[in-house]
Amino acid sequence: MSFGDPNNPYGQQPQGQQPGYGYPQQPGQQPGYGYPQAPPVQQPYGAGGYPGATMEMPGGVKAARVILWIMSGFNVLGAVAMVVMSFAIDSELEKSGATSADAAAFADLGQGLLIGLGIFSLIIGVLGMVLAAKFRSGGTGVRVCTIVYASFMVLFSIFSLPAGLISLALGILIIVFVAKADGAAWFNRQKQQY
């Protein structure tokens, strides 16, 4: 009985033998020489291969969080300053004795505009603080909201150049730090059940 050329990978294979190098594997047989196993499953970033191991927040994410806290604090301080300035404008107008209707309308418009900008700045500052506080436990939603928040920060900074140059740079840094691979791994990690 002849089995054909032993070097032909497509030739007939003897029954009962494991497939060798170059022979196609039949269903239900163990892989032979030349058939690599699947690669081992990779552990998530920072898990260290131990189940339940805690992951440390990457440095870039920590830096983005600190920048968010600082920028949010400045937004809240700016909001308070705008409201105080609006009342200072009103009191200065009363001291000057200008009683024309145009001066009063202009003062009311300025005061209303400053109060509106102050409230907007306060909302933006509080939103930044909430995002920074959620970095420790937040998921991908916090990451996406932070990127959108920093994008708006960059957009408003462009309109206020050259004074907004620092906030432009800090907004870009927040986007970069949160969007990097280690930032994505931090926000996509498995949360611990408490």
Side-chain angles (χ1 to χ4, degrees), residues 61-75 124-125 127-133 135 142 145-147 149-150 153 170 174 178:
V61 177
K62 285 180 185 177
R65 185 180 189 194
V66 168
I67 293 170
L68 270 176
W69 278 113
I70 291 170
M71 295 301 292
S72 299
F74 281 134
N75 276 334
I124 295 296
L127 177 64
M129 288 180 181
V130 168
L131 288 172
F135 266 41
V142 174
C145 287
T146 303
I147 291 172
Y149 177 87
M153 184 189 305
L170 292 177
I174 290 172
V178 174

Side-chain angles (χ1 to χ4, degrees), residues 160-183:
S160 64
L161 285 176
L165 190 62
I166 292 174
S167 63
L168 174 72
L170 292 177
I172 291 171
L173 284 175
I174 290 172
I175 293 170
V176 168
F177 289 151
V178 174
K180 281 183 4 183
D182 59 349

Side-chain angles (χ1 to χ4, degrees), residues 34-138:
Y35 288 93
Q37 296 292 320
V41 177
Q42 297 268 340
Q43 292 294 327
Y45 174 79
Y50 301 106
T54 59
M55 181 178 170
E56 185 177 341
M57 188 184 297
V61 177
K62 285 180 185 177
R65 185 180 189 194
V66 168
I67 293 170
L68 270 176
W69 278 113
I70 291 170
M71 295 301 292
S72 299
F74 281 134
N75 276 334
V76 170
L77 288 176
V80 170
M82 284 184 212
V83 171
V84 168
M85 283 185 349
S86 72
F87 290 118
I89 288 173
D90 190 43
S91 68
E92 285 297 319
L93 185 65
E94 287 177 9
K95 285 182 187 176
S96 69
T99 56
S100 72
D102 291 337
F106 183 73
D108 289 343
L109 176 69
Q111 185 178 16
L113 185 65
L114 280 175
I115 289 175
L117 286 174
I119 290 172
F120 179 73
S121 181
L122 181 67
I123 291 170
I124 295 296
V126 169
L127 177 64
M129 288 180 181
V130 168
L131 288 172
K134 288 282 192 179
F135 266 41
R136 174 76 50 201
S137 63

